[in-house]
Amino acid sequence: MAMLELENVHSYYGNIHALKGISLTVDEGEIVTLIGANGAGKSSTLRTISGILHPKRGSVKFEGKNLTEYPAHQVVGLGISQVPEGRGVFARLTVRENLEMGAFVRTDKEGINEDIEKGFALFPRLKERQNQVAGTLSGGEQQMLAMARALMARPKLLLLDEPSMGLAPILVDSIFQTIVDINKTGTTILLVEQNALMALQTAHRGYVIQTGEIVLSDSAVALQSNEMVQSAYLGH
């Protein structure tokens, strides 16, 4: 059984039909990427999984549980954390306070402090700035903080929404290496990313979404050599 399974999911924003029968799976231990153009439905897919957007039809199952029956804050408690597009850090709180907010579903103070230190080990720059107000961090530092904060809930599945957006190329390489490192510790990842080449070089499998529908799925290696993917997303 797949860790995450979406079957024939239809989601709407008012009268706008954002997802038109999305079906995909993510197995435990994988990095799976969802690529597509702006407005294709990538972020809507993540929001539907995390409970922010409720589908009108279809099922979203995580470890056999139907996520559509849970509000968003309970979805986090089940083991799913999301790093939102645009980072979404708490701008007026310090770096450390942001990390503490990421553990809001937990009560084990000692474990929380241990995980803060793990976050600092993963992103040493955050340790240097732990008492700095998050809104004054650079874009790259805010992305690091958003990822470290999401890990504070000890997720089984991490949803990443456009982690490279707005970052300098040298930081993009660093962020994607960290994604691989996080996965190696046992965290399963569903990655939404505009930079299709980096996403496919990082992921094990991928899905291509166009106007709310999955049009292609394959191994990441196979998708890199697919003519349609090369033409539409890889600039070949």
Side-chain angles (χ1 to χ4, degrees):
M1 181 179 71
M3 174 184 270
L4 177 74
E5 184 175 11
L6 278 66
E7 187 170 352
N8 194 33
V9 171
H10 292 258
S11 293
Y12 291 75
Y13 296 100
N15 293 323
I16 299 171
H17 197 172
L19 301 182
K20 304 169 184 175
I22 292 287
S23 295
L24 62 81
T25 61
V26 180
D27 293 330
E28 185 175 352
E30 282 191 305
I31 301 176
V32 174
T33 188
L34 185 60
I35 62 174
N38 281 333
K42 303 187 302 296
S43 294
S44 297
T45 301
L46 296 192
R47 289 178 188 142
T48 300
I49 295 165
S50 61
I52 298 168
L53 188 62
H54 288 278
K56 287 194 175 179
R57 298 203 306 278
S59 66
V60 182
K61 291 182 179 177
F62 177 69
E63 296 187 325
K65 298 181 182 74
N66 185 0
L67 294 184
T68 60
E69 298 174 356
Y70 295 86
H73 68 279
Q74 290 184 4
V75 171
V76 177
L78 292 175
I80 299 176
S81 289
Q82 180 169 348
V83 180
E85 180 182 349
R87 293 136 205 164
V89 300
F90 298 105
R92 295 184 180 182
L93 300 183
T94 66
V95 166
R96 178 172 279 272
E97 288 168 341
N98 266 269
L99 295 177
E100 290 169 350
M101 288 295 288
F104 78 97
V105 296
R106 297 171 55 184
T107 56
D108 56 320
K109 190 171 182 180
E110 190 174 319
I112 290 170
N113 287 330
E114 286 177 6
D115 285 351
I116 287 175
E117 291 305 318
K118 286 181 184 176
F120 289 156
L122 198 60
F123 299 108
R125 204 174 304 182
L126 295 182
K127 181 161 188 160
E128 298 168 11
R129 289 159 171 70
Q130 61 180 299
N131 297 315
Q132 189 171 326
V133 174
T136 63
L137 299 176
S138 70
E141 289 163 350
Q142 288 190 18
Q143 185 62 52
M144 295 172 194
L145 178 56
M147 292 171 68
R149 182 185 61 190
L151 292 172
M152 288 299 298
R154 290 187 175 173
K156 301 172 186 176
L157 174 64
L158 183 63
L159 308 177
L160 292 171
D161 196 351
E162 304 285 7
S164 77
M165 181 179 285
L167 299 187
I170 190 168
L171 279 176
V172 172
D173 290 341
S174 174
I175 289 293
F176 275 94
Q177 182 55 54
T178 304
I179 291 169
V180 172
D181 293 341
I182 292 168
N183 178 247
K184 285 178 179 176
T185 67
T187 305
T188 304
I189 295 172
L190 178 57
L191 167 67
V192 158
E193 177 55 51
Q194 197 77 33
N195 187 333
L197 180 59
M198 287 297 292
L200 291 173
Q201 288 175 342
T202 304
H204 301 109
R205 291 191 300 115
Y207 292 86
V208 179
I209 184 170
Q210 292 180 353
T211 58
E213 297 178 90
I214 300 291
V215 296
L216 197 59
S217 66
D218 212 329
S219 71
V221 172
L223 287 175
Q224 286 182 66
S225 59
N226 180 280
E227 287 186 10
M228 186 273 278
V229 173
Q230 288 185 349
S231 174
Y233 307 108
L234 303 183
H236 291 187

